[in-house]
Amino acid sequence: MTPTCPIPDRITDRIELAHGSGGSMTSRLIERIFRPRFGNSLLDRGLDSAILPPSGERMAFTTDTFVVSPLFFPGGNIGDLAVNGTVNDLLSVGATPRYISVGFVIEEGLPIADLKQIADSMAAAAREAEVEIVTGDTKVVEHGKCDGIYINTAGIGILPPSLDLDPDNIRPDDVIIITGPIASHGMAVMSQREQLGFSSAIESDTASLGDIVHALLSVAPGLRVLRDPTRGGLAGTLCEFAAASGVNIEIVEDAIPINPRVSSACELLGLDPLHVANEGIMVAVVPPAEAEAALAAVRRSAHGADGAIIGKACAPDPEGGRVWLRLPLGNRRLIEPLAGDQLPRIC
Amino acid sequence: MTPTCPIPDRITDRIELAHGSGGSMTSRLIERIFRPRFGNSLLDRGLDSAILPPSGERMAFTTDTFVVSPLFFPGGNIGDLAVNGTVNDLLSVGATPRYISVGFVIEEGLPIADLKQIADSMAAAAREAEVEIVTGDTKVVEHGKCDGIYINTAGIGILPPSLDLDPDNIRPDDVIIITGPIASHGMAVMSQREQLGFSSAIESDTASLGDIVHALLSVAPGLRVLRDPTRGGLAGTLCEFAAASGVNIEIVEDAIPINPRVSSACELLGLDPLHVANEGIMVAVVPPAEAEAALAAVRRSAHGADGAIIGKACAPDPEGGRVWLRLPLGNRRLIEPLAGDQLPRIC
């Protein structure tokens, strides 16, 4: 056996491969950057797994990896995006988000200052969403083997008894509500990436939507389904709803909220805002009798001021449910999910 | 709004950016590759979060991202490694692993055949460990922005009441057991990566260790702590134990099982096998009265035939617990955790 030569405890301002070694440099990274920001009684035990108290309820469990480029964009960065995205996936099934895990893959050379800023945003997003980061993992790959940082978050939430949000539940005449303007996230990232002139004017909508979801659950006991329309945009989510339920869905173009600057940017770039990713809105489907109360509850909630009723479920379609967009002149066009990638690396 | 031009449903033998779009090509990838291999009643609902039944018990929750290079190595690949690694992290706190999430980051251009082989290995490892893959996420990044594929797995396990495995529990005279030979995983990956001549002779030990852990829990009710010594190796794990408990640990070089070919390879490359990663062994610390029964239980278990008692906990050290290696001639040397990375990208 050969004696090993320990690397001295030096100060560095960039991530090095040794920060992912599992040795003392990894420990220092955790102690100096992550624990001060994320620390809580569950994380601080530092075991291979976090120990969570029994809940006695059903749980929701989800995962998402974030590879957005660039890492920083107007309105957020990969850190708050990663926390909010997983929180919203838990909320989408009606769960109350509780615990988050974080898996970092960091590129050698990433400025420590960037990592601190990302971790700060994650901590703030976790506080805002009332979730705890309870377990984590850090890997470092050589320069050129990732794109700054990739972040996986998995999440656990607690699910109220007998709640069953599922696109299968959608029935004819159900009402489609959107909780805010569409396409802001995708266009914010796109404009930052391409250094377009309007970048300062468009901000990502990244946000956790616990307030809206809890409001909806309290006023709309018949709530059919919720979904945050991220990759694939509003069109992708509605097409999934139609396909799963077998009923057609019709939405009205003029009723869909969109920031005029976002709309102009989409037009300029030849993008359909219905296909552009969102990170801070929900699509909710409710029975007609609960629609007005649901909309009012959304509009009273954080991030819900621009909520709107945008359409409704129609008759079942023997060929499978489809999505139609009613245009201002009264005609309509078929909306289809994108096959490929309109905007890669958006989340 | 501009009409979008859907990409035709074409057959492809390599991953494309569009497979990560969240659109129909992502759906096809899931339907054709992941669902046939991973499918179960929880995953198949296809919601944003999996819905897990209530357990009423405490839970363990862990995460790990795998960036091993190369993706395929003797004895395994990144797929079974990712499942086994997270399963073992749950077992390390004494939990029974139940549910796994999978987050893929795939490089554009990865052969679909490789992805299938990796998914096959994940499915086999999950069956072996009796866990279900219940939720997942797939991202695709441009060629050159990752190294084939990175896989995050997060896991949930169920924890027996009042079990509390923690290095704090270690007391003087406690016995250190290792469940199998050390350094096999690191040297298997290293030899494959460097195309060394002995590559065919060294296999990774990647395996899930439920059988061993359940056997230990049943015969050694006083079990203090368990840990799978991955990155940082046996030395890293024992140094953590000593630091956390404040007692010195002494291990005996001649007692530590190691495959002679692994030992020779370490010597050739100037690596200390105590610092080389393992992926299929556990270190267990038990009270002296339970040591013989624990060792016998390990040796009867799958992957435990070469289990051995390798040392013991000694007196508390006023300067903080340290780890000593007793050498064949009777003298001893201090073992320290690596600061940096002896073998990067090993898991």
Side-chain angles (χ1 to χ4, degrees):
Chain A
M1 281 187 237
T2 329
T4 57
C5 175
I7 296 169
D9 179 2
R10 64 213 138 88
I11 301 302
T12 152
D13 61 359
R14 289 185 179 268
I15 290 289
E16 304 176 22
L17 277 177
H19 284 118
S21 64
S24 59
M25 280 187 68
T26 307
S27 304
R28 281 200 292 279
L29 190 73
I30 293 169
E31 293 306 322
R32 293 180 188 176
I33 300 200
F34 299 135
R35 205 183 297 276
R37 290 169 174 82
F38 302 158
N40 57 61
S41 63
L42 298 172
L43 181 69
D44 292 349
R45 286 199 65 187
L47 301 177
D48 277 4
S49 300
I51 310 293
L52 311 180
S55 82
E57 307 288 344
R58 292 180 305 161
M59 289 175 300
F61 182 33
T62 192
T63 188
D64 214 337
T65 310
F66 294 82
V67 299
V68 64
S69 168
L71 302 177
F72 299 89
F73 45 82
N77 64 52
I78 191 171
D80 45 12
L81 189 69
V83 171
N84 292 337
T86 284
V87 162
N88 289 340
D89 280 349
L90 295 170
L91 289 165
S92 285
V93 296
T96 300
R98 283 279 178 84
Y99 307 111
I100 297 275
S101 69
V102 177
F104 293 108
V105 178
I106 312 177
E107 185 181 8
E108 181 185 20
L110 183 78
I112 297 275
D114 286 1
L115 184 60
K116 286 180 175 169
Q117 190 180 342
I118 289 165
D120 281 335
S121 299
M122 298 184 79
R127 272 193 304 275
E128 170 77 20
E130 298 179 9
V131 294
E132 289 183 300
I133 295 171
V134 295
T135 187
D137 176 60
T138 304
K139 293 292 190 308
V140 178
V141 294
E142 302 90 330
H143 182 68
K145 296 295 185 188
C146 89
D147 203 1
I149 188 168
Y150 299 152
I151 303 178
N152 176 281
T153 46
I156 296 177
I158 306 299
L159 204 56
S162 79
L163 185 66
D164 180 37
L165 304 180
D166 193 307
D168 290 354
N169 299 332
I170 299 172
R171 298 286 171 270
D173 296 324
D174 281 351
V175 173
I176 319 287
I177 292 173
I178 198 157
T179 66
I182 66 168
S184 302
H185 175 72
M187 295 318 295
V189 173
M190 191 65 183
S191 59
Q192 179 74 16
R193 190 190 299 167
E194 306 298 335
Q195 299 286 320
L196 301 178
F198 49 81
S199 66
S200 64
I202 299 180
E203 289 212 337
S204 166
D205 58 348
T206 180
S208 60
L209 299 172
D211 201 36
I212 284 178
V213 172
H214 294 132
L216 277 169
L217 288 172
S218 67
V219 303
L223 182 66
R224 310 297 197 196
V225 65
L226 278 174
R227 190 69 57 92
D228 59 328
T230 56
R231 279 184 296 179
L234 177 60
T237 292
L238 293 177
C239 289
E240 268 189 64
F241 285 1
S245 64
V247 300
N248 286 321
I249 288 175
E250 184 174 295
I251 55 174
V252 179
E253 187 173 41
D254 278 346
I256 301 169
I258 183 168
N259 176 323
R261 288 188 297 260
V262 171
S263 181
S264 306
C266 285
E267 216 162 313
L268 193 70
L269 297 176
L271 298 171
D272 183 342
L274 292 176
H275 286 118
V276 175
N278 311 282
E279 292 287 347
I281 62 174
M282 285 274 173
V283 184
V285 183
V286 296
E290 296 176 358
E292 285 306 322
L295 179 63
V298 164
R299 287 185 169 168
R300 281 192 305 267
S301 302
H303 310 293
D306 296 321
I309 290 173
I310 59 167
K312 62 173 191 158
C314 308
D317 189 321
E319 293 172 44
R322 288 178 295 178
V323 178
W324 296 94
L325 180 71
R326 180 69 60 185
L327 300 170
L329 295 180
N331 52 335
R332 62 182 203 167
R333 73 174 170 92
L334 185 66
I335 299 297
E336 290 183 290
L338 280 188
D341 228 343
Q342 199 184 30
L343 300 173
R345 307 279 305 280
I346 218 74
C347 62
Chain B
M1 284 186 237
T2 330
T4 58
C5 175
I7 297 169
D9 181 2
R10 64 213 137 88
I11 301 301
T12 150
D13 61 359
R14 290 186 177 268
I15 289 290
E16 303 176 23
L17 276 178
H19 284 117
S21 64
S24 59
M25 280 188 68
T26 306
S27 303
R28 282 201 292 279
L29 190 74
I30 293 170
E31 292 308 322
R32 292 178 189 177
I33 300 198
F34 299 135
R35 207 185 296 275
R37 290 169 173 83
F38 303 158
N40 56 63
S41 63
L42 298 172
L43 182 69
D44 292 350
R45 288 199 63 187
L47 300 177
D48 277 4
S49 299
I51 310 293
L52 312 181
S55 82
E57 307 288 344
R58 293 180 304 161
M59 290 174 302
F61 181 33
T62 192
T63 188
D64 215 337
T65 310
F66 294 82
V67 299
V68 65
S69 168
L71 301 177
F72 299 89
F73 45 81
N77 64 51
I78 191 170
D80 44 13
L81 189 68
V83 172
N84 293 338
T86 284
V87 163
N88 289 341
D89 279 348
L90 294 170
L91 289 165
S92 286
V93 297
T96 300
R98 284 278 178 84
Y99 308 111
I100 297 274
S101 68
V102 178
F104 292 107
V105 177
I106 311 178
E107 185 181 8
E108 181 186 21
L110 182 79
I112 298 274
D114 286 0
L115 184 62
K116 286 179 174 169
Q117 190 179 340
I118 289 165
D120 281 335
S121 299
M122 297 184 80
R127 273 194 304 276
E128 169 78 19
E130 298 179 11
V131 294
E132 289 182 300
I133 294 171
V134 295
T135 187
D137 176 60
T138 304
K139 294 292 190 310
V140 178
V141 295
E142 303 91 329
H143 182 68
K145 297 295 186 186
C146 87
D147 202 0
I149 188 168
Y150 299 151
I151 304 178
N152 176 281
T153 47
I156 295 176
I158 306 300
L159 204 56
S162 79
L163 185 66
D164 179 37
L165 303 180
D166 193 307
D168 290 354
N169 300 332
I170 298 172
R171 297 285 171 271
D173 295 324
D174 281 351
V175 172
I176 319 289
I177 292 174
I178 198 156
T179 66
I182 66 168
S184 302
H185 175 72
M187 295 317 296
V189 173
M190 192 66 184
S191 58
Q192 180 74 14
R193 189 190 301 168
E194 306 297 334
Q195 300 287 317
L196 302 178
F198 49 82
S199 67
S200 63
I202 300 180
E203 288 212 337
S204 167
D205 58 348
T206 180
S208 60
L209 299 171
D211 201 36
I212 284 178
V213 171
H214 294 132
L216 277 170
L217 288 172
S218 67
V219 304
L223 183 64
R224 311 296 198 197
V225 65
L226 278 174
R227 189 70 58 89
D228 60 328
T230 55
R231 278 184 297 180
L234 177 60
T237 293
L238 293 178
C239 289
E240 269 189 66
F241 285 2
S245 64
V247 300
N248 286 320
I249 288 175
E250 184 173 297
I251 55 174
V252 177
E253 186 172 44
D254 278 347
I256 302 169
I258 183 167
N259 175 324
R261 288 189 298 262
V262 171
S263 179
S264 306
C266 285
E267 216 163 314
L268 193 70
L269 297 175
L271 298 171
D272 183 342
L274 291 177
H275 286 119
V276 175
N278 310 281
E279 292 287 345
I281 63 173
M282 286 273 174
V283 184
V285 183
V286 296
E290 297 175 358
E292 284 307 321
L295 179 63
V298 164
R299 287 185 170 167
R300 282 193 305 268
S301 303
H303 310 293
D306 296 322
I309 290 173
I310 60 167
K312 61 173 193 159
C314 309
D317 189 323
E319 291 171 44
R322 287 178 294 178
V323 178
W324 295 93
L325 180 70
R326 180 69 60 185
L327 300 170
L329 294 179
N331 50 334
R332 61 183 205 167
R333 73 173 170 91
L334 185 66
I335 299 296
E336 290 183 289
L338 280 187
D341 227 345
Q342 199 184 30
L343 300 173
R345 308 278 306 279
I346 218 73
C347 63

